[in-house]
Amino acid sequence: FSPEGFGDPGAGPLYLQLHRRIADAIASGRLRPGDSLPPEREMAALTGLSRVSVRKGVEALVASGQLVQRRGSGTFVAPKVERLEQALSLLTSFTEDMARRGRSVESNWISRSLHAPAPEEVMALGLGAGDRVARLERVRSSDGVPLAIERASLPASILPDPEGVGRSLYEVLEQRGLRPVRAVQRISAANLGARDAELLQVTPGVAGLKIERVSYLPSGKVVEFTRSLYRGDAYDFAVELKLAP
Ligand code: 16G
C-alpha cells in the first residue's frame, strides 16, 4: 500500500482504484488466501486516501467474496474455495461424498447429546410422549475449508448414544442395520447470521443454502431430521431431469 498512482484523473473514484489495486494483488498472488489486511486507519495513512474511501473499497471486495471480515480479528483475503458439484438424486453421507472426491473430511463437534425434543422434532421424527432426541451439531470441513454446519436430530430409540458417533453418522447407522434408504430434501436460500458465518469463516450476511433432510428406514420410520447450512460459494447442486409424462 502506497500513495503512488492514486488520484490519476480519469482513473475513476478513489475507492474503486483501491478496490482494483487489492483485487490485482489477489489475482497476481501478491496477496494470498488468509493474508490479513492492515486496519482501515493504517490503510488510509499508507495510501493517503480518506477512511471513507478505504472502507468503501474494502466493503466492495467483501461483498464480492474476495475479502472476509471477522469480528474482532480484522480483514483477510478469502480462502480459495473450489466449488463442489453435488448430485441431488443420491442418498449419500458427507464422509462418502468427500471420500469419492479424494478429499479429506474434518468434523468439528459443537455438541452431541440427548434432549427433550422441540415441537418441530416431535413432528418431523414422529415422536411419542416421553421420547428423547439425539442431537448432533457439527461443522463439516474438507481439506481445511469449512463447508457446512449440520444439525441432525434422531430419535433416541435409533441413536441412544450420540457421543458414540465419531467420524460418520451414516457409518454408525449402517453398522446397526439402520442406514436410511430414502430421504426427502428441501433446499432454500438463507443469508448467514453472525454466529453461523463465523463457524463457516465467511462474512456475516453472505448467501448460504439451507438444506433440510428427513430420511427413512425401509419400514417408513424416520431416522434423521437434519438441518444444514451450506456455503453458497462452495456448492452447486445438480439433478438430472426427465421429460414429464
Ligand atoms: C449429509 C447429509 C446429512 C447426514 C450426513 C451424514 C446433506 C444435506 N446432509 O451431509 O443429513 O446426516 O450426510 O454424514 O446432504 P456422515 O455420515 O459423514 O456423518
Side-chain angles (χ1 to χ4, degrees), residues 76 126 164 212 235:
F76 302 86
E212 246 183 49
Y235 270 90

Side-chain angles (χ1 to χ4, degrees), residues 92-95 138 140 150 167-171 185 211 213 224 226 228 230:
T92 55
S93 73
F94 187 86
T95 305
R138 55 196 162 152
R140 317 291 316 254
E150 290 191 342
R167 210 170 72 109
S168 163
L169 169 63
Y170 278 20
E171 212 170 271
Q185 197 158 285
I211 307 186
R213 180 185 286 190
E224 71 168 326
T226 298
S228 310
Y230 276 65

Side-chain angles (χ1 to χ4, degrees), residues 76-197:
F76 302 86
V77 178
K80 247 212 161 29
V81 178
E82 195 190 318
R83 291 187 77 87
L84 302 173
E85 183 163 305
Q86 176 75 29
L88 272 178
S89 47
L90 299 172
L91 178 49
T92 55
S93 73
F94 187 86
T95 305
E96 291 163 345
D97 288 335
M98 293 307 150
R100 194 169 305 148
R101 298 170 202 268
R103 297 177 61 111
S104 72
V105 180
E106 304 94 41
S107 287
N108 296 323
W109 286 97
I110 301 169
S111 65
R112 49 191 142 170
S113 44
L114 292 174
H115 298 266
E120 69 264 28
E121 290 170 319
V122 172
M123 293 277 289
L125 299 172
L127 299 177
D131 285 345
R132 310 257 294 158
V133 72
R135 283 193 202 139
L136 309 173
E137 195 178 354
R138 55 196 162 152
V139 178
R140 317 291 316 254
S141 308
S142 175
D143 292 349
V145 180
L147 295 172
I149 304 167
E150 290 191 342
R151 300 182 171 104
S153 303
L154 295 88
S157 57
I158 295 227
L159 191 70
D161 53 345
E163 342 48 63
V165 179
R167 210 170 72 109
S168 163
L169 169 63
Y170 278 20
E171 212 170 271
V172 169
L173 294 173
E174 175 110 54
Q175 283 158 6
R176 300 178 182 180
L178 296 169
R179 164 102 195 199
V181 293
R182 190 173 75 81
V184 174
Q185 197 158 285
R186 241 169 245 284
I187 304 183
S188 49
N191 291 109
L192 300 175
R195 177 167 178 262
D196 291 334

Side-chain angles (χ1 to χ4, degrees), residues 10-29:
L14 290 170
Y15 84 91
L16 274 185
Q17 294 183 36
L18 177 72
H19 177 287
R20 204 173 310 132
R21 202 177 275 200
I22 297 175
D24 286 349
I26 295 173
S28 70

